[in-house]
Amino acid sequence: MRPIESKVHRDLKPTQLWVYGSSSPGPTFEARSGQGILVEWANELPAQHFLPIDHSIHGAEADKPEVRTVVHLHGGRAPAESDGYPDNWYVPGKSALYHYPNRQDAAMLWYHDHALGINRLNVFAGLLGVYLLRDDVEDSLNLPSGKYEIPLVFYDRIFDRESQLNYPVSGNPKSPWTPEVFGDALLVNGKLFPYLEVEPRKYRFRALNGANGRFFHLSLSNGQAFHQIGTDQGLLPAPIELKRVSLAPGERADLIVDFSASAGEPIVVTNDSSFHVMQFLVAKTAAKNSARDTSTLPSALRPVPKIAESAAVNTRMLTLVEVDDRVQRPVTMLLNNTHWNMPVTENPVLDSTEIWNLINTTNDSHPIHLHLVRFQILDRRSFDISAYWATGKLNYLGPSIPPDPSEAGWKDTVRADPAMVTRIIIRFEGYTGRYVWHCHILEHEDNEMMRPYDVIAAP
């Protein structure tokens, strides 16, 4: 981790960034399932932060070093000591050696900072990158590969007139935290309004929403359909045809786009059907040195066996709460009405299965991420928030809604929509130890919407 200056657009001055390696996003890892790797994450950043720290937030008090980092491999099944626990930060001049066993299916993972209280600032500064895990099942499908497989990391930023990052503040110098950050500059792979020259053939795009808080709803300007073949934790059972893909912060989508019918056309990727994000420039013919496109879009990809609800040994009722507190800060975000430093209340047994009911009492959609595990979405159901607070009982207002087809695979981040109970079923596999679950809107996560949980050994 080190500071650099980088041009996000040819017409802008270089921007100060904090990066892994020499770029933001950082270097893309490629690893094989079952083949573990060791990574030394070295903090070579300066001692002072260049973005506004709120010292009233837990974990970011004035007696803490300004610059602290710890790396989390999002979606990785790693031992607790290599998971990037938010309190396990270290300062410039120090490093941490992490072991990633990679004992999981092929998937697009990603890595980013997770330091308690300043995570939102460190990621906004540029500390994020892609981690691709491969396996033999994926190899056998003959999907587009090599130069025809491209990670696309989407996020937004705010720049000042000097092309420097401008992180918004509340206006209260004692509590500058702001509940959400939405930038007016939409970046892809660290560039503003980039273009990609493509051939008239199939491509595989590994899309990631790396934004602090923005939800992306992406489509192609020519209206053409494309296929989603995978989600957070790997391949779907079968491809799904879409004209728009939605990504909450932290979510990923594995996409196949066939440009063969668009030779010679420029195609714009739009967000919410109006904001231009990037452009594909489709060549009239394939490049001279390119082989014929023999890649396939299989009708079947990878089985995703449904976890039976009857396998669950515990069902948890967990609230998502926003609390007004005008004295110290505009609003505090809580999981299960509990602060970060309160005793652990979730302690699943290793290799057991649980159902978690995420009861969203807020007006926001919260992308909830659990470390260590993958899970399946069971359903969503609307409920009466006022009645819930008055009686403690769930008064449902409609039938259960099954997950979208694009959510039918393995997930590690789930969109918990407002006034809905979102049910997920989880098998706690891998390791015992202390992990965390949290909202992946980073401003929420940094202000109490994160809780530790313990995976314990069977008695």
Side-chain angles (χ1 to χ4, degrees):
M1 292 159 269
R2 56 170 66 102
I4 67 164
E5 288 192 340
S6 178
K7 288 172 71 72
V8 301
H9 189 277
R10 69 185 182 193
D11 297 333
L12 295 179
K13 298 176 182 177
T15 301
Q16 177 185 192
L17 300 172
W18 286 1
V19 305
Y20 297 104
S22 58
S23 65
S24 182
T28 297
F29 286 77
E30 290 202 48
R32 297 289 304 181
S33 179
Q35 298 178 9
I37 66 170
L38 291 171
V39 181
E40 182 178 9
W41 300 103
N43 185 340
E44 299 176 3
L45 295 167
Q48 276 76 47
H49 217 296
F50 70 102
L51 297 177
I53 297 174
D54 186 337
H55 294 300
S56 69
I57 284 180
H58 74 283
E61 295 82 3
D63 62 347
K64 301 286 194 307
E66 274 198 21
V67 176
R68 300 167 284 112
T69 61
V70 63
V71 182
H72 170 54
L73 178 59
H74 183 125
R77 185 184 295 174
E81 59 270 19
S82 294
D83 184 64
Y85 191 73
D87 269 329
N88 292 345
W89 47 262
Y90 47 96
V91 297
K94 301 294 183 179
S95 68
L97 185 65
Y98 278 8
H99 176 220
Y100 300 122
N102 297 321
R103 296 192 191 115
Q104 56 193 107
D105 293 345
M108 180 191 193
L109 314 180
W110 65 298
Y111 60 96
H112 58 81
D113 180 79
H114 219 290
L116 192 68
I118 58 170
N119 166 233
R120 70 198 185 286
L121 305 178
N122 290 349
V123 174
F124 196 86
L127 291 174
L128 73 164
V130 170
Y131 188 109
L132 298 176
L133 189 58
R134 312 288 193 183
D135 69 12
D136 293 342
V137 173
E138 179 193 60
D139 293 345
S140 70
L141 295 175
N142 192 30
L143 300 167
S145 60
K147 66 180 181 178
Y148 303 109
E149 179 190 16
I150 301 171
L152 296 177
V153 183
F154 297 89
Y155 51 94
D156 57 343
R157 293 293 184 266
I158 304 168
F159 297 95
D160 65 19
R161 292 176 180 269
E162 297 301 315
S163 306
Q164 301 308 305
L165 290 174
N166 180 16
Y167 187 89
V169 294
S170 66
N172 178 356
K174 292 184 178 180
S175 181
W177 174 84
T178 187
E180 280 101 18
V181 171
F182 301 113
D184 53 5
L186 305 184
L187 281 70
V188 185
N189 292 357
K191 299 298 181 183
L192 180 63
F193 300 132
Y195 67 88
L196 177 66
E197 295 177 344
V198 297
E199 299 174 32
R201 52 160 292 155
K202 292 188 291 297
Y203 279 75
R204 183 183 186 186
F205 295 111
R206 315 297 293 270
L208 157 68
N209 183 348
N212 279 38
R214 180 180 292 277
F215 288 60
F216 282 94
H217 309 286
L218 304 170
S219 56
L220 300 176
S221 60
N222 63 351
Q224 82 171 71
F226 48 89
H227 289 85
Q228 181 173 350
I229 61 168
T231 184
D232 302 342
Q233 282 286 313
L235 294 166
L236 288 165
I240 299 163
E241 186 173 297
L242 301 171
K243 287 197 172 182
R244 187 174 86 156
V245 62
S246 296
L247 292 171
E251 287 189 310
R252 287 88 71 205
D254 196 345
L255 306 172
I256 301 291
V257 181
D258 191 345
F259 296 106
S260 59
S262 305
E265 293 182 23
I267 302 173
V268 174
V269 178
T270 63
N271 183 47
D272 292 319
S273 302
S274 58
F275 296 98
H276 290 193
V277 182
M278 66 171 292
Q279 188 177 53
F280 294 118
L281 299 178
V282 187
K284 292 182 179 180
T285 58
K288 290 182 179 180
N289 59 348
S290 295
R292 186 173 59 89
D293 182 8
T294 58
S295 66
T296 59
L297 177 63
S299 58
L301 295 163
R302 185 172 207 146
V304 181
K306 293 291 185 183
I307 305 176
E309 291 190 42
S310 60
V313 297
N314 197 4
T315 297
R316 299 184 190 269
M317 312 299 286
L318 303 163
T319 55
L320 282 56
V321 180
E322 293 180 1
V323 181
D324 287 327
D325 184 357
R326 297 295 176 184
V327 177
Q328 294 185 24
R329 56 182 68 96
V331 75
T332 297
M333 316 288 182
L334 296 176
L335 296 173
N336 218 25
N337 221 20
T338 309
H339 291 265
W340 165 259
N341 57 2
M342 290 181 176
V344 171
T345 51
E346 288 72 54
N347 51 0
V349 175
L350 182 66
D351 293 327
S352 71
T353 298
E354 296 192 355
I355 293 173
W356 285 22
N357 290 265
L358 304 173
I359 305 167
N360 189 351
T361 68
T362 80
N363 293 321
D364 290 326
S365 186
H366 297 276
I368 299 298
H369 171 50
L370 278 70
H371 288 209
L372 175 68
V373 295
R374 63 181 185 175
F375 54 76
Q376 293 173 0
I377 303 171
L378 293 173
D379 51 40
R380 297 180 177 91
R381 196 172 183 184
S382 63
F383 72 103
D384 186 325
I385 295 176
S386 298
Y388 177 77
W389 285 126
T391 66
K393 297 180 180 179
L394 288 169
N395 178 20
Y396 290 110
L397 302 177
S400 297
I401 302 171
D404 297 335
S406 61
E407 302 175 305
W410 291 107
K411 296 280 290 173
D412 58 49
T413 306
V414 59
R415 191 189 72 249
D417 288 336
M420 301 280 278
V421 177
T422 300
R423 294 197 311 146
I424 59 176
I425 188 165
I426 316 142
R427 184 167 173 81
F428 289 88
E429 300 173 301
Y431 305 92
T432 58
R434 179 157 293 184
Y435 294 88
V436 299
W437 66 288
H438 60 86
C439 176
H440 221 283
I441 296 175
L442 302 187
E443 285 67 34
H444 297 183
E445 171 190 337
D446 263 349
N447 197 2
E448 299 286 356
M449 206 167 195
M450 178 165 62
R451 286 284 292 156
Y453 78 91
D454 289 336
V455 180
I456 62 175

